Structures are given as C-alpha cells and as structure tokens.
Amino acid sequence: MKPRLLDLGDTALTLELGDKVDLALNARVLAARDTLGTVPGITDIVPSYRSLTVHFDPAILERHELAGQLLRAAEATPQNSALVTRWRIPVLYGGTHGPDLIEVARATGRSEEAVVEAFCSLELRVFMIGFLPGFPYLGELPDWLQLPRRSTPRTAVPPQSVAIAGAQAAIYPWQSPGGWHLLGRTPVRMFDLAFPERPALLAVGDSVQFTQIDTAEFERLSAAADAGELSREKLLAP
Amino acid sequence: MIEILACNGAATVQDTGRPGFRHLGVPLSGALDGGLLHIANALVSNRPDAAAIELRLVGPRLRAEAATLISLAGAVDGRIEDAHGNSRVARAWASHRLGAGDTLILGAIRSGVAYLAIAGGIDVPRVLGSRSTYTRAQLGGFKGRQLAAGDRLDVLPSASQKIGDGETVAIELQLPNPPLFGASPLRVLAGPQQEYFTAQARARLVEDEFIVSPQADRMGLRLAGPRLEHDPRYGADIVSDGVTPGTIQVPADGNPIVLLADCQTIGGYPKIATVISADLPRLGHALPGQKLRFAEVSIEEAQAARRQATKALTETLASICPTNAEFNLDALYTANLIDGVIDAQQKN
C-alpha cells in the first residue's frame, strides 16, 4: 500500500502506511516517527498500528511543509529493535479478578490452567498506546485465543484488569466501560504520575510477557504499589 | 481562596490544555471554547493560559475569602451578595470586584459553556504541564474531578492587584461588544475515512439536520438524525488510528459522534469528516436538543477561517476597556447576547 497523507481537520495530518495489524508495518510507523524527529510547531505525534498522526499549530508550521516532511519520513527503513524494553507483568488470573477466564477456557476448548500457561508463554508487542492514558494495545494473540468482544460490554471494568479481544490483549489503567474478556488483574500501575519522566509504564515498541502470581503475592505487590514502593526495574525481563 | 458553596452544574478547572502527551493516551483536554477562556482571563488581566472555571449547564454559588476580581465570559447571569444582604448584578463579559466574604451566584449557562476567571488564576498543581481537568483518569484540575460544594480553591497572586502603594487596586473591565456565536453550519473537512461511507451518507452529512442527544459531555456529542450508512465494501470498523477534537466518527449504528476536548487519542470507527478548528469552539456550545448542520469546506477555506478567527479574537481582546459609567443592560443584552444565543438555537 502506497503511503497516504490524510487531513484530520486543519490541525492534524495522518500518514497512513497500511491498514493491517502487522509487526513489520508497525515498525515502519515507528521508523517514520523517529525520522521525523523534533519539528517546531508539532504538538503531538501519535503512532498507531498502521499510521502516524501528527498534531500541529498552523501558526508555526505550514501544512504543506509538514506534509513534505511526513512523506519523506514514510520512506524510512525500520531499524533492528535492539533498544526495545522487555517487561514482565505479574497477573493474578481467574476468580473475581479474571471473571471471564472460565468462559475463555470453555470457548477455546482448553482448561483454565492451559489458557493461562499459553498466555504467559507469549511475548507480546506494544503496538500502540491510546484510548485511555497508558492503555497498551498488545498483539498478536494466536488464532485459537482470538475471541470476538463480549456481546454486552461491562459498564465498569476494574482498573489494572488484563483482557483480550480479537488478536489483541490490553491492560486497563483506569476503571472504564469495556467489552474485552477479563483474564486477571495486575498490581502494576500502567500510568503513574509518580514517574514524571515516564508516566506510562509501556511505550510503543516495547514487549510484554505476562507471568502468574497467587493471591498472597498479588496482595503483597498491591500494597507495595499503594505505598509507591513497587519498583519498575524489577518488572524488566532478565 | 474561593469556596464552592453549591454546584449543580458541571464545573471544572480548565486552561489551554495538555498538548504533548497524546502518544501516551493522554487527551488534549482544556477549555471547550479557548476564545472565551482567553476573554475571561483578559478581563482580570491574567495570562491567556491561566486556569479558570469552565461552567456548563448551571453555574455554581461561591464565596470569596479575600477581596478579589472575577470575570464572566459567555452567556451567564450572575449576582453578587455581600455579608449585609446587599445584592448587585454581575454582568457577563465584564469583571467585578468581590469583597471578602462576598458570594457570587451564577445562573444557567445559556451559551452551553462559559468561563469564570479569577484574578491570578486558579492555583491547582500542574499535571503534565497543564491545570486542565480530565475526569476519566482523575487527572489535573481540582482533585481530577468536577467541582462540588465544600471545595476550596487556591488562587495565584495577581499582577493587577499589586499596583499602587501596597493597596489592592483591581480595575473592573468590560467587553463592549461580546462575540456573536452565529448560527451558520459548522464547517468540516472531509475524511480521513470518507470512502467508508455511501455517497448518500456523505450527502446527508451536509444536507440534513442533526440533533444533539442527551449523551453529551466533554468527550463528545452523540448526534441523532439521519443514519450515516457505511459502504458495505468497507464496513464500520477500521484498524484504529488517530482522532482529534472535532472528528466526526460513525459507529455501526450510523449515528455520528462528534469528539470534543477530552476525546480519546485513537479510535476504531471510520471518520467521515472533521470540524475545522475555527468552528470547534461553537461545537463546545452545543446543548442536548440543539440542532446542528454541517457544511464541507476545502483545506484552504479551513486555513483562511482559522486566520480570520484569530484576527477576530485579537480585535475582541483589544476592545476590552475599563467599566466606568453605568451600563444600559437592556440594550447590551438585547443587541448582542440574547439575540445571538436565541438565533443560534433557532437556526443552528
């Protein structure tokens, strides 16, 4: 697919590189972002699965000038992602914290333990952050684990719920409505202003592997998180 | 210090917004009508980006603990009561001195949104560079939420009150010719996903009338009216990408949603069009039940409209002058304010 420039109103341009959820495509998006760099007049650069949306101030940066820079950035070659941060996110699965695990096991014809074990074996990529502050879109799930969204969304998904829908997994940083299947909950905060340099834990391009913890560990880590003593360094993959 | 005595509307602390964090999923937020915020701040000699109180539905009742200067921008009625029970009118589009212990009582916000600025600006902590409230993530503003009775808001020191020999001098200012809100259609740029819609849907967007549904908040407005049908070859889902305030996205049911300041950063519904930045403030005025029309323009027209809006705001700000003589309230309201609002509601 040829790169396209799309006007999102008169204060944003979207560089569209494709229309799929695809690792190679997402890597091209990030390469375009890195190539664009810092340009006066750009206020926000938002990568998605397959496009880059650039918000700008037309009083400082002319649209046609930005358009030229974006089309040049579209040609950037993805670099090897040696700098990717690999995270291990602990999760308490099932029960009241993962009320849909039973249903997911039934729908996939596996035991709850087998679903958890398979889910924890995946290394998922952060394709984009959006919807809510710090909300990561992770992918891709294997075909057998891909389920349509719940027919009736929940009005209140508890914060820090780990959920799946289609080819994606996500962690809800805040209580919000949601139609994804809830597998469990993590004591880790996805968005924390106690880290002003990096309030969102995850960044696009990072990888995430989920681990399994028991109730006692969940409560211990939750208490540590409440006290501001849950170290992010300890979440890095060895 | 300002104490909220009662608050039945939706009042939040807002400034010019929180750019630079949308890649983390943090919305822009900020005043729905940045021009009105600017005017309110100018009337109390604040910087344009000082935090003020955004008023929606009905204004609160509040008390000033120390003498201060406040201003109102937008179509809102106000009254000031002192400790002795004396009452006076607090007109919109002007600043007013409040004595220590005076109470300000505000009525309905007839312009959909209005701003109450306080000399110095509201002093809440800056979160990610902004004092704006984003309630969904309890971010910024006063404890990340709408104001409620009992809240006590600190105010930053005001430059205008340091004039003179240590005396507090607060000059009341006014805007003689308040801006008209206009009833013309909201101008849009097509796309980014106009090809996801049938030719009939694209025609309906600009030919038919839409009504703002009760599901309207700072995130967006759900509209009722003609259904905008997706081209069956494409369907109603896209691989999610960026959205912005003004974006008109259309879910499978065909009822458009117009996004506002607190909108998410990324969305999965096709976007038939985006309201241009010059008309975005008027979108913030829309109330449930109000009729909206859209008109498509070119990018060049959108850019010209933005320059024109900036020029008009500059001229409006330049016309602010001290309030000296008694005002002919009836003439002001009849000529500019009420007419403009009723006009907008009837024709828009």
Side-chain angles (χ1 to χ4, degrees):
Chain A
M1 189 171 161
K2 205 166 164 281
R4 291 202 302 165
L5 271 183
L6 308 170
D7 284 300
L8 180 67
D10 55 322
T11 61
L13 270 177
T14 293
L15 172 68
E16 186 186 70
L17 294 178
D19 55 4
K20 292 186 180 62
V21 176
D22 175 77
L23 264 180
L25 176 58
N26 192 239
R28 282 175 57 211
V29 170
L30 299 188
R33 176 197 65 182
D34 296 342
T35 305
L36 191 62
T38 312
V39 179
I42 289 182
T43 58
D44 289 273
I45 303 179
V46 184
S48 77
Y49 287 108
R50 42 86 175 219
S51 68
L52 197 62
T53 294
V54 177
H55 302 267
F56 66 102
D57 179 350
I60 301 173
L61 179 61
E62 299 248 12
R63 175 191 172 278
H64 68 86
E65 194 182 316
L66 175 61
Q69 297 196 25
L70 277 170
L71 287 176
R72 280 193 295 280
E75 305 304 321
T77 316
Q79 304 295 309
N80 281 337
S81 41
L83 295 173
V84 161
T85 309
R86 300 169 69 217
W87 301 94
R88 293 279 171 85
I89 307 288
V91 177
L92 172 59
Y93 291 95
T96 54
H97 290 91
D100 297 332
L101 180 60
I102 294 178
E103 185 52 41
V104 169
R106 192 178 298 144
T108 58
R110 305 197 179 200
S111 68
E112 291 177 49
E113 293 76 15
V115 169
V116 169
E117 192 181 331
F119 187 65
C120 288
S121 73
L122 303 169
E123 183 160 12
L124 300 169
R125 181 188 174 91
V126 182
F127 277 98
M128 60 181 192
I129 305 276
F131 176 56
L132 288 167
F135 186 105
Y137 289 81
L138 308 167
E140 299 171 73
L141 299 181
D143 289 343
W144 66 266
L145 194 51
Q146 297 187 12
L147 301 174
R149 283 168 205 210
R150 289 165 53 86
S151 50
T152 309
R154 285 188 172 82
T155 53
V157 171
Q160 289 151 235
S161 291
V162 174
I164 58 169
Q168 305 169 92
I171 308 163
Y172 283 79
W174 316 94
Q175 179 178 305
S176 80
W180 294 30
H181 305 275
L182 310 183
L183 299 184
R185 269 182 92 193
T186 176
V188 178
R189 293 186 179 167
M190 287 299 112
F191 190 91
D192 192 345
L193 292 168
F195 300 89
E197 298 304 313
R198 184 170 169 148
L201 176 72
L202 305 176
V204 176
D206 287 358
S207 82
V208 171
Q209 186 164 8
F210 292 103
T211 61
Q212 184 172 19
I213 54 174
D214 60 20
T215 306
E217 182 70 353
F218 179 84
E219 281 169 6
R220 192 184 70 75
L221 293 175
S222 293
D226 289 344
E229 290 163 0
L230 189 62
S231 152
R232 283 184 169 182
E233 281 69 34
K234 287 188 180 151
L235 302 172
L236 295 171
Chain B
M1 180 90 78
I2 296 283
E3 184 180 2
I4 308 290
L5 301 176
C7 190
N8 295 319
T12 52
V13 175
Q14 299 293 343
D15 61 14
T16 47
R18 187 172 281 119
F21 298 95
R22 281 192 261 196
H23 63 291
L24 304 182
V26 179
L28 181 61
S29 298
L32 290 173
D33 187 334
L36 290 191
L37 172 69
H38 200 149
I39 292 169
N41 274 327
L43 287 166
V44 291
S45 306
N46 282 351
R47 290 161 47 106
D49 61 349
I53 302 178
E54 182 175 273
L55 309 169
R56 304 186 80 205
L57 308 174
V58 181
R61 189 155 59 88
L62 48 87
R63 182 165 54 212
E65 248 165 54
T68 186
L69 188 70
I70 62 99
S71 68
L72 295 167
V76 52
D77 298 312
R79 189 159 54 82
I80 298 167
E81 281 182 7
D82 67 17
H84 310 291
N86 301 315
S87 176
R88 63 188 197 275
V89 171
R91 293 187 299 109
W93 310 110
S95 52
H96 307 278
R97 280 188 214 101
L98 288 186
D102 282 4
T103 302
L104 174 67
I105 301 141
L106 297 173
I109 313 303
R110 300 188 311 279
S111 45
V113 67
Y115 294 84
L116 165 64
I118 298 157
I122 306 286
D123 185 15
V124 291
R126 274 210 179 94
V127 175
L128 301 176
S130 167
R131 296 187 167 93
S132 289
T133 314
Y134 172 53
T135 55
R136 284 202 97 187
Q138 298 96 50
L139 211 68
F142 185 82
K143 299 185 178 175
R145 58 165 172 79
Q146 293 184 0
L147 298 177
D151 290 349
R152 294 159 66 85
L153 298 170
D154 285 321
V155 178
L156 289 160
S158 163
S160 68
Q161 296 185 338
K162 297 268 165 64
I163 307 164
D165 299 330
E167 289 284 307
T168 296
V169 178
I171 303 165
E172 292 185 334
L173 300 174
Q174 55 153 327
L175 184 64
N177 297 301
L180 300 174
F181 298 136
S184 52
L186 294 157
R187 291 165 288 183
V188 300
L189 274 180
Q193 279 95 31
Q194 66 268 43
E195 73 268 22
Y196 275 65
F197 297 88
T198 62
Q200 189 193 38
R202 290 161 65 179
R204 280 178 164 169
L205 177 71
V206 292
E207 287 167 7
D208 289 2
E209 201 168 56
F210 296 85
I211 298 171
V212 179
S213 83
Q215 288 164 289
D217 59 17
R218 282 182 43 89
M219 276 188 76
L221 311 169
R222 268 179 195 273
L223 304 183
R227 301 262 164 112
L228 303 181
E229 287 181 353
H230 301 83
D231 186 324
R233 284 173 297 172
Y234 291 96
D237 283 301
I238 59 167
V239 176
S240 300
D241 75 346
V243 301
T244 199
T247 293
I248 305 175
Q249 60 177 25
V250 187
D253 67 8
N255 292 318
I257 301 169
V258 193
L259 300 179
L260 295 178
D262 280 355
C263 72
Q264 68 275 24
T265 54
I266 277 173
Y269 299 125
K271 302 174 273 291
I272 191 169
T274 303
V275 176
I276 67 172
S277 60
D279 287 352
L280 207 47
R282 273 205 294 138
L283 201 51
H285 298 194
L287 292 167
Q290 189 173 321
K291 289 168 181 162
L292 296 181
R293 278 183 176 278
F294 299 100
E296 191 174 333
V297 295
S298 67
I299 180 69
E300 291 78 17
E301 288 169 304
Q303 290 165 334
R306 184 184 171 91
R307 285 192 294 271
Q308 176 56 37
T310 305
K311 184 164 166 272
L313 178 61
T314 306
E315 287 167 5
T316 297
L317 292 166
S319 73
I320 288 176
C321 58
T323 311
N324 33 36
E326 280 289 309
F327 252 83
N328 184 338
L329 285 182
D330 290 342
L332 181 78
Y333 275 79
T334 311
N336 297 311
L337 211 143
I338 307 272
D339 270 5
V341 172
I342 292 172
D343 232 18
Q345 285 172 346
Q346 283 176 345
K347 291 183 200 155
N348 215 8

